[in-house]
Amino acid sequence: MRPWSCLVLVLAACGEAAAPAEPVSVAEAAPEVEEEAPIEEPEGAVADEADEVAEVLPSAHELLVLTVGEPVLLPSETRLAEFLEARMRRNRRDAELRPATAEEAAFFAGEGGPPATFGEARRVLFLHFPAPRTLPNGDLRSRGIDRVVLYQLPATEPAFVAGMDEAWRLEDEQWATWIAGLLREGDGA
Amino acid sequence: MRRTAIVLALLGLTSTASAGDRALELFLGDLSPSSERACMRDLGRELRSRDHEPVNVTRMGEASVRRMVGDEDGDLLAWTEDDLRPIVERRRRPPYDAVAIVDCRESEGAANLLVRGPSGGITRVSLRGISIDEERARWLARTLLTQARIGFEP
């Protein structure tokens, strides 16, 4: 056995979870980067980046719902996303909802082809949150959602596009109902 | 007991609509081909549904709409607020609260929808390769109303 093979085995043995080879290697790489890289950026930013690399695997669900925030989701927007996810689970929809990766956001912006992280998803729904409004006291307030795009893979042209000049600020329940109307079961949408 | 029930019923009515409330004035431009009527029929039914606040719909066909916009054969989704101004501002009458232009083709599973709301913002919607049955047409109507009511003051 070659020396590097022994090293791989030792690293695999040290992993916390017995997972398939590919995810384990990704999970192991992140701590090494954190230890070796000089701490120049805010701690949270480094951790977020590492989390994203470690967690995003190809989707194993029929429907993938991706949020795109400018620059990131506000707490109220995250709560909306969580509400939508809970509603989909309650309706027994085979769906995954999470923030878009950089590659997925690029695809949403019209750059590149479908990312590998789409996995087995047959439908991908993007929800775009524009940059928030800054109130006089400095607080940020969500504008809502200003773009909704649905892809029915493998087609790379969207099946549905809604673009709002003024973002819609609906109640969580209203969003859930509206999206359920878009993502009806059994009609190909 | 009966008198109490009547009073409660009246209170319920007054809580959903005020005496001075008025209906949304909506212009509906129909750019759908004459052979594709089911979608617009179902969409119109939803707009008149009593499930919503009242809407007064003024409907016009493609030739009139394009003449007012000044675009004989262009893509309706490219129309701007300025393009729609001749429709919004009626002569001798208050302006429309909202303008919606629809091109719905159920046989192709395709639809384009443009809605200008009371504050001037526009929402553009396009569907491709999605079956458009009665339920979908009614959903499109509710989408239309969502935008049409943003900024509307009864």
Side-chain angles (χ1 to χ4, degrees), chain A residues 25-107:
Chain A
S25 65
V26 173
E28 288 168 353
E32 286 185 9
V33 171
E34 280 187 340
E35 287 174 8
E36 293 175 8
I39 303 174
E40 294 176 354
E41 296 181 12
E43 197 172 335
V46 174
D48 287 345
E49 192 176 328
D51 287 347
E52 185 175 309
V53 171
E55 292 176 4
V56 177
L57 298 172
S59 177
H61 300 273
E62 187 271 337
L63 171 66
L64 180 59
V65 183
L66 300 172
T67 56
V68 182
E70 304 287 353
V72 294
L73 297 193
L74 296 178
S76 65
E77 295 167 342
T78 300
R79 280 196 298 275
L80 169 60
E82 290 170 352
F83 181 88
L84 295 175
E85 185 174 33
R87 176 60 58 88
M88 288 176 186
R89 283 184 181 166
R90 198 179 82 185
N91 293 340
R92 299 179 184 282
R93 193 181 284 282
D94 179 20
E96 174 186 4
L97 191 152
R98 60 170 171 76
T101 64
E103 191 179 5
E104 290 164 345
F107 175 74

Side-chain angles (χ1 to χ4, degrees), chain A residues 103-125:
Chain A
E103 191 179 5
E104 290 164 345
F107 175 74
F108 173 67
E111 299 165 9
T117 44
F118 284 178
E120 297 172 18
R122 306 316 306 157
R123 299 188 293 174
V124 178
L125 178 69

Side-chain angles (χ1 to χ4, degrees), chain A residues 150 152 158-166 168 170 178 181-182 184 187 189, chain B residues 119 121-131 133 135-136 139 143 147 150:
Chain A
L150 174 69
Q152 297 191 132
F160 174 84
V161 178
M164 299 83 161
D165 284 355
E166 298 170 311
W168 285 4
L170 308 179
W178 187 76
L182 171 62
R184 268 172 22 188
D187 70 346
Chain B
S119 58
I122 291 178
T123 284
R124 297 172 177 84
V125 171
S126 73
L127 285 166
R128 295 289 181 273
I130 290 181
S131 61
D133 54 12
E135 190 180 339
R136 178 72 63 197
W139 178 82
T143 300
Q147 172 63 32
I150 293 177

Side-chain angles (χ1 to χ4, degrees), chain B residues 39 104-106 108-111 127 130-134 136-137 140:
Chain B
C39 175
C104 196
R105 304 174 185 226
E106 57 267 24
E108 300 174 20
L127 285 166
I130 290 181
S131 61
I132 300 178
D133 54 12
E134 179 179 354
R136 178 72 63 197
L140 272 174

Side-chain angles (χ1 to χ4, degrees), chain A residues 1-13 28 32:
Chain A
M1 187 176 290
R2 296 174 187 277
W4 59 265
S5 302
C6 296
L7 178 61
V8 168
L9 283 174
V10 169
L11 286 172
E28 288 168 353
E32 286 185 9

